[in-house]
Amino acid sequence: MNNMKKNLILSAIGVGLQTAGGICLFVAALCIGKEINQQIRKTIIKELSKQVSDN
């Protein structure tokens, strides 16, 4: 019985770590997406500014 209890605890810890890891990956993906969007916006603004100043 003691071994079974230990295995259940380790299993619960593993599931918790897996869930936390999944959440971290999700947050990282959101942050990367946000950064990419910011870079795209900056590039678009820079190009539009160049076009306006050329005219």
Side-chain angles (χ1 to χ4, degrees):
M1 279 297 180
N2 196 15
N3 217 8
M4 187 173 160
K5 196 182 237 185
K6 180 180 169 184
N7 288 342
L8 285 173
I9 291 170
L10 289 175
S11 177
I13 290 170
V15 168
L17 288 173
Q18 202 170 17
T19 303
I23 291 169
C24 288
L25 286 173
F26 180 72
V27 170
L30 286 178
C31 291
I32 290 170
K34 184 178 176 183
E35 182 66 29
I36 289 171
N37 284 337
Q38 287 177 346
Q39 291 299 326
I40 290 171
R41 276 192 224 129
K42 285 179 185 177
T43 303
I44 290 171
I45 290 170
K46 189 193 294 186
E47 289 301 316
L48 288 174
S49 296
K50 280 184 189 177
Q51 290 179 7
V52 168
S53 67
D54 288 345
N55 292 333

